[in-house]
């Protein structure tokens, strides 16, 4: 599994601004569904879903289905160095993520997560 998370592979996966924004928002919240991410980034469902699929295929994210919702979270098997890089990036770049976070925080009718999950 460590071969999957070589520095070039991780940074290549995050080299797109949309994928970085998605990853950092998910890190910030712990878990988000597709509809929340669409609202936060103010972008189309096909574009968001395509980027989420790329993040999932490179191993950074995992998903789960709860009824009609699909939720994304960081892969719990990420090496510690990846978690450290992501945490540091999130903390050091709050202004860059501000508008996305503000839209997410203002979103009404966010889906309810099952209290027994994850």
């Amino acid at each position: 599994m460590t071969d999957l998370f070589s520095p070039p592979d991780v940074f290549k996966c995050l080299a797109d601004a949309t994928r970085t924004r998605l990853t950092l928002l998910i890190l910030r919240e712990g878990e988000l569904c597709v509809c929340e991410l669409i609202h936060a980034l103010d972008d189309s469902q096909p574009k968001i879903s395509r980027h989420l699929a790329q993040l999932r295929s490179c191993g950074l994210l995992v998903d789960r289905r709860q009824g009609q919702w699909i939720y994304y979270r960081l892969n719990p098997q990420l090496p510690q160095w990846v978690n450290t890089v992501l945490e540091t990036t999130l903390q050091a770049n709050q202004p860059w993520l501000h508008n996305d976070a503000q839209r997410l925080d203002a979103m009404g009718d966010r889906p309810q997560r099952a209290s027994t999950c994850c």
Side-chain angles (χ1 to χ4, degrees), residues 47-62:
K47 180 178 178 181
I48 298 298
S49 292
R50 183 179 75 247
H51 285 289
L52 289 169
Q54 289 176 296
L55 288 164
R56 197 176 64 241
S57 71
C58 71
L60 290 178
L61 299 182
V62 294

Side-chain angles (χ1 to χ4, degrees), residues 23-113:
T23 303
L24 294 178
L25 281 174
I26 290 168
L27 173 61
R28 176 183 179 258
E29 297 293 316
E31 181 180 69
L32 289 170
C33 79
V34 175
C35 68
E36 291 170 307
L37 292 164
I38 291 167
H39 188 85
L41 272 66
D42 194 26
D43 223 327
S44 70
Q45 182 274 324
K47 180 178 178 181
I48 298 298
S49 292
R50 183 179 75 247
H51 285 289
L52 289 169
Q54 289 176 296
L55 288 164
R56 197 176 64 241
S57 71
C58 71
L60 290 178
L61 299 182
V62 294
D63 64 351
R64 70 174 180 88
R65 181 175 287 279
Q66 178 184 316
Q68 66 181 354
W69 310 109
I70 298 176
Y71 293 91
Y72 290 86
R73 60 188 165 93
L74 290 182
N75 184 342
Q77 296 181 4
L78 289 176
Q80 184 56 47
W81 75 265
V82 177
N83 285 317
T84 301
V85 166
L86 292 174
E87 285 284 350
T88 301
T89 303
L90 176 62
Q91 295 309 314
N93 292 281
Q94 295 293 320
W96 183 69
L97 205 59
H98 177 76
N99 290 338
D100 300 330
Q102 194 171 39
R103 278 190 297 272
L104 179 62
D105 292 343
M107 181 182 177
D109 297 326
R110 289 177 72 177
Q112 298 297 312
R113 282 133 181 88

